[in-house]
Amino acid sequence: MKNIEKAFEQGKGVLRLAPNWVPRSFCVPGRRIKLHPDDYYILGGERGGIDERWLSSTTPAENGPLTGEFEGLSFVVYEEGGKEERILFKDFVNNLKGRLIGDRLWNEYKSWPMYSKFFDNMGPLPHHIHHTDDKAALVGQKGKPEAYYFPPQLNNHGGDFPYTFMGIAPGTTKEEIKECLKNFSKGDNKITNYSQAYRLEPGTGWDVPPGILHAPGSLCTYEPQKASDVFAMYQSLVNEAVIPEELLWKGTPKEDHGNYDALMDVIEWELNVDPDQMKKRFMQPIPVKEVAEMEAQGYNEKWICYKSTAFSAKELTVLPGQKVVIKDAASYGLIMMQGYGKLNDWTIETPSLIRYGQLTHDEYFVSEEAALRGVVIENHSTTDPIVMLKHFGPENPDLDIEKLVGSN
């Protein structure tokens, strides 16, 4: 507890976080998240390549029996006796409670109820689904809404398939989808024959509520999401890779394995067959205030994920040579996308290449008290903007979804 208090005071309410790398055995890294080329398979071929970096996470990764002890969990970095020490971010949340994440969130959730990640796959993922709270509770987890934003800085190439399947094509019957699930172990079950794909554009995003089938494309993706790692794969063959049948049943109670009706019950049917997927799920960035007003003060800030009550996200740009004070009504994690300078007393910089285990100055967590007080950001470059992404917990007081979506 003493070290947690010391680290909190050391950063004046802003915590420095260590990079948090996560492998997936069913993925091929897209190599855009700045990990050193020699380190993408550093955990061994059986674990798969590292194609995710989790941000501000108190959520353990669900990667099977070989999962590392702290896999998916973020660590806070602080100085002790001239050395850099680490403590789990989860321990900071549990000890500091409302002082860190705000009384509103602590009283409601008794935890930090979201995290974000970079998802960086060379090809598409299988058509899969995240469970609602009710369905996830059957396997001791929470439901998982998520959202996508495709940062231009991490998308120098589009990968093998920069298109995302979303939902189920209108007119499809439940019997047709159920037959695909029954054919999972017989080769290609062809479930995406009954879906529609949308071309992905850097600098835009998508909202993905639980219960909707989706097959993420191959752009490198920033993904704010609820604090859960529940999912099930409903497509058996993708990009010529066979998906193990155990992943079809991953979010299903053991007593229901083999029960295809249980899989069908996870699908929020009307949500999936809605003909207005583009209109309802797609997100263009929206300025938080008048652009001219913000740029006159040296910055530009946009909402990039704003259609879910479970989380939200902003993209903040600080113009070259500018010093600004940015206030928010809630705590948040942040990750640097571009530029360098200072955030309060902390150095902020965007690394070009990171070794596995190396510490950086590109990820921080801003407590609610620091956010309300306002963080001072200085851009030390005369030519390059600072760009950072900021992820917030549920019910952000600054976000009026109805007004924002209505204006978009």
Side-chain angles (χ1 to χ4, degrees), residues 228-250:
S228 172
D229 196 25
V230 66
F231 67 88
M233 298 297 187
Y234 280 20
Q235 183 179 0
S236 60
L237 184 72
V238 61
N239 214 30
E240 302 306 318
V242 175
I243 308 304
E245 188 175 1
E246 66 191 59
L247 296 180
L248 173 66
W249 303 102
K250 188 174 185 300

Side-chain angles (χ1 to χ4, degrees), residues 42-220:
I42 196 168
L43 298 176
E46 190 174 14
R47 295 301 323 280
I50 293 172
D51 69 338
E52 297 185 6
R53 178 179 172 181
W54 289 21
L55 310 167
S56 305
S57 173
T58 60
T59 303
E62 296 286 339
N63 274 338
L66 297 179
T67 305
E69 181 181 2
F70 300 114
E71 202 159 287
L73 299 174
S74 293
F75 278 82
V76 173
V77 181
Y78 70 101
E79 187 175 306
E80 178 71 44
K83 295 182 179 180
E84 290 177 321
E85 303 289 348
R86 307 185 200 194
I87 299 176
L88 278 170
F89 176 51
K90 185 175 184 177
D91 291 344
F92 275 79
V93 175
N94 289 339
N95 280 277
L96 297 174
K97 304 176 181 177
R99 288 177 60 200
L100 180 61
I101 66 173
D103 289 336
R104 176 180 61 87
L105 291 183
W106 178 256
N107 293 339
E108 175 73 18
Y109 298 98
K110 298 294 189 289
S111 65
W112 174 238
M114 69 85 64
Y115 66 105
S116 193
K117 68 166 71 165
F118 290 135
F119 169 70
D120 175 39
N121 203 40
M122 183 64 76
L125 274 189
H127 218 28
H128 70 278
I129 200 163
H130 299 294
H131 302 59
T132 61
D133 282 333
D134 288 346
K135 296 300 181 184
L138 298 176
V139 290
Q141 294 204 54
K142 298 174 183 177
K144 184 180 173 183
E146 64 183 17
Y148 305 154
Y149 177 69
F150 311 113
Q153 295 87 352
L154 297 184
N155 280 294
N156 56 308
H157 67 84
D160 293 341
F161 191 80
Y163 304 85
T164 283
F165 287 96
M166 188 70 67
I168 297 168
T172 302
T173 67
K174 292 183 179 181
E175 289 71 24
E176 287 170 320
I177 297 300
K178 187 175 179 179
E179 189 64 22
C180 290
L181 300 180
K182 289 181 175 179
N183 290 334
F184 193 93
S185 61
K186 298 177 183 177
D188 185 358
N189 69 348
K190 300 183 180 180
I191 194 169
T192 51
N193 286 2
Y194 300 100
S195 186
Q196 298 170 118
Y198 300 85
R199 185 173 181 230
L200 304 180
E201 293 283 346
T204 69
W206 286 78
D207 173 58
V208 187
I212 191 167
L213 280 160
H214 56 292
S218 56
L219 285 192
C220 187

